[in-house]
Amino acid sequence: MNIKEYADKSVLCWLATVDADLMPNVSPKEIFIALGDNKLLIANVASPISEKNIRANNKVCVSFIEVFEQRGFKVKGMVRVIDAKSPEWTGYLAELRKLADERYPIKNIFEVNIESSVSIIAPSYFLFSETTPESQVEGALSAYKVSR
């Protein structure tokens, strides 16, 4: 299991920030990508609270899971706000545009430099020896009455 693999499989990530008074905020983000296992890019489409918090305190936590397998990662690190004046802007924007076109107005990009990570795994994996990613997918498809 690696960070990039599960970021690529995940539909949403959850960005946790804190404000200047250390009040937490968690916000879903749908346009994000892992650049290897050390860096995440998250598009700021409509996240003024997350941006304000990041500017006050640049320590963040990001979680994402593949919803059917019920496995993924929680990563922690320092974040920078990348805007159109930043040298990384063009390359980072091109990466995020692979996921969403210009209809999504990307105000800036949150560049998360990952300092630590831990895998997220549903309890059934360690409670029941017969649990596999395939059995988790089958169970989720059945429980949610959906198909792939």
Side-chain angles (χ1 to χ4, degrees):
M1 222 165 81
N2 68 53
I3 291 170
K4 180 162 179 30
E5 176 186 357
Y6 277 86
D8 289 349
K9 290 181 176 186
S10 300
V11 176
L12 291 174
C13 72
W14 296 88
L15 174 64
T17 61
V18 294
D19 67 16
D21 296 323
L22 302 181
M23 180 60 70
N25 180 68
V26 177
S27 179
K29 309 292 182 229
E30 69 177 310
I31 304 170
F32 70 102
I33 190 167
L35 299 180
D37 287 339
N38 299 318
K39 190 176 307 243
L40 291 178
L41 303 179
I42 303 171
N44 178 3
V45 174
S47 301
I49 295 170
S50 294
E51 181 180 350
K52 181 180 176 185
N53 288 355
I54 286 168
R55 293 188 186 279
N57 183 336
N58 70 339
K59 294 178 183 177
V60 297
C61 179
V62 182
S63 296
F64 47 89
I65 64 163
E66 198 290 334
V67 68
F68 295 112
E69 284 184 27
Q70 299 177 11
R71 300 189 311 170
F73 279 90
K74 174 174 71 173
V75 301
K76 294 180 182 179
M78 307 292 265
V79 64
R80 292 189 315 143
V81 177
I82 305 297
D83 61 25
K85 296 176 187 171
S86 303
E88 302 90 348
W89 174 257
T90 302
Y92 285 180
L93 184 63
E95 289 297 321
L96 292 167
R97 285 291 178 220
K98 294 175 184 176
L99 302 174
D101 61 29
E102 289 77 20
R103 292 177 296 163
Y104 291 85
I106 297 177
K107 178 181 177 186
N108 50 43
I109 299 165
F110 303 143
E111 176 200 62
V112 180
N113 291 293
I114 299 170
E115 295 178 355
S116 67
S117 65
V118 63
S119 62
I120 297 172
I121 188 164
S124 55
Y125 282 100
F126 54 85
L127 289 174
F128 311 109
S129 61
E130 67 273 12
T131 301
T132 65
E134 294 78 20
S135 69
Q136 285 295 95
V137 170
E138 287 176 28
L141 294 174
S142 174
Y144 301 132
K145 311 259 188 287
V146 295
S147 61
R148 283 195 156 180

